[in-house]
Structure formats: C-alpha cells, structure tokens
C-alpha cells in the first residue's frame, strides 16, 4: 500500500477515534454527574448511535463501576442497545446478540442471537472496507513494486 494511501486512511480514522473517546469520557462523567447524564441522553435521543450505546453500557448490570446517577437494569440497557443497533452500530448488535445468546434481560433465543451477530458482521465488514481507490491489487507482488 502506498504511503499516501496510509496517510489518507489515518486522517479519516483519527477524528472517529477522537469522537469515540469524547463520548466514552462523557459516559464516564455521567456515572456521577446528572447534568452530564442528561447531555448523553440528549445525544442518544438525537440519533447518535455511539451515545446510545454508551448510555446502554451505563445502565448495564454487567458493567458496574461507580454509577450513582442511574438504576441498573436490563430494560434500559436493551432499549439503548436496540436504539444504537437500529442506527447501525455494530457493537450494539454484538451486545444484543450476547444478550439473546445468554438470556440477559431476555429469553434465550439462539436464532435471534445469530441474526444480531450476522448483522454485526455485515456492518463491521462495510465499516472496514477500504475505499475503491485504496484497495490492494489482486497481485501482492504488484503492491510490493509500487512502494
């Protein structure tokens, strides 16, 4: 892969990583600050998939840290995971698949789990696909000659 292609990919990915870090920080602050919780909820209600996912993790009975702003519970957790999944976040589909596979807040349903896992895999594949201009050539030796 050419160095310029790597640079372009890094420039495209960097803001996404920074935004995710900001939302994770917001989630962590929401554990103890009602105003920050309200901010995270507003983002999630405003169709921010990652905010909805992080809100789900805040309510999750499996993720216990120092939360004092919410009451842990599966209904709230699954509600926010479903919202995030509906907005196309693969991580939410994965957690929903686990919930149905293990019976966490829902009745065990292997078929439903499989559907969420398949959807997660499809979304992840789309998210990680290289743009057409950056795709590797079919012949790996050709790639080595270009660098």
């Amino acid at each position: 892969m050419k160095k310029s292609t790597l640079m372009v990919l890094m420039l495209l990915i960097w803001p996404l990583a920074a935004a995710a870090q900001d939302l994770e920080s917001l989630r962590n602050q929401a554990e103890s600050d009602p105003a920050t919780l309200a901010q995270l909820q507003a983002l999630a209600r405003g169709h921010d998939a990652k905010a909805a996912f992080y809100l789900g993790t805040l309510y999750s009975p499996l993720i216990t840290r120092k939360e004092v702003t919410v009451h842990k519970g599966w209904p709230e957790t699954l509600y926010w995971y479903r919202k995030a999944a509906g907005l196309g976040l693969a991580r939410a589909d994965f957690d929903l698949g686990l919930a149905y596979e293990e019976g966490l807040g829902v009745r065990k349903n292997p078929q439903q789990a499989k559907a969420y896992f398949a959807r997660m895999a499809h979304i992840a594949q789309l998210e990680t696909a290289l743009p057409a201009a950056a795709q590797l050539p079919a012949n790996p030796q050709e790639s080595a000659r270009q660098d």
Side-chain angles (χ1 to χ4, degrees), residues 10 30 37 40 57 66 85 97 112 125:
M10 288 176 62
L37 174 63
L40 187 60
T57 67
K66 44 190 168 164
Q112 189 69 30
Q125 183 179 27

Side-chain angles (χ1 to χ4, degrees), residues 1-79:
M1 187 180 294
K2 290 186 176 184
K3 292 176 188 171
S4 60
T5 304
L6 278 174
M7 184 64 108
V8 169
L9 289 174
M10 288 176 62
L11 290 173
L12 291 172
I13 293 171
W14 185 260
L16 298 175
Q21 179 62 35
D22 290 344
L23 283 172
E24 186 175 1
S25 295
L26 198 64
R27 181 252 184 250
N28 292 339
Q29 292 172 12
E31 292 175 350
S32 59
D33 180 27
T36 306
L37 174 63
Q39 185 181 359
L40 187 60
Q41 289 170 331
L43 288 169
R45 287 187 189 108
H47 305 294
D48 186 315
K50 290 180 182 173
F53 175 78
Y54 282 119
L55 198 52
T57 67
L58 192 64
Y59 284 100
S60 175
L62 295 180
I63 304 172
T64 55
R65 293 173 32 188
K66 44 190 168 164
E67 296 91 341
V68 296
T69 56
V70 299
H71 295 285
K72 299 287 195 171
W74 287 114
E76 295 86 4
T77 301
L78 296 172
Y79 171 81

Side-chain angles (χ1 to χ4, degrees), residues 96-109:
L96 286 166
L98 286 178
Y100 280 96
E101 184 176 73
E102 299 294 325
L104 303 172
V106 292
R107 188 179 304 256
K108 282 187 179 187
N109 185 332

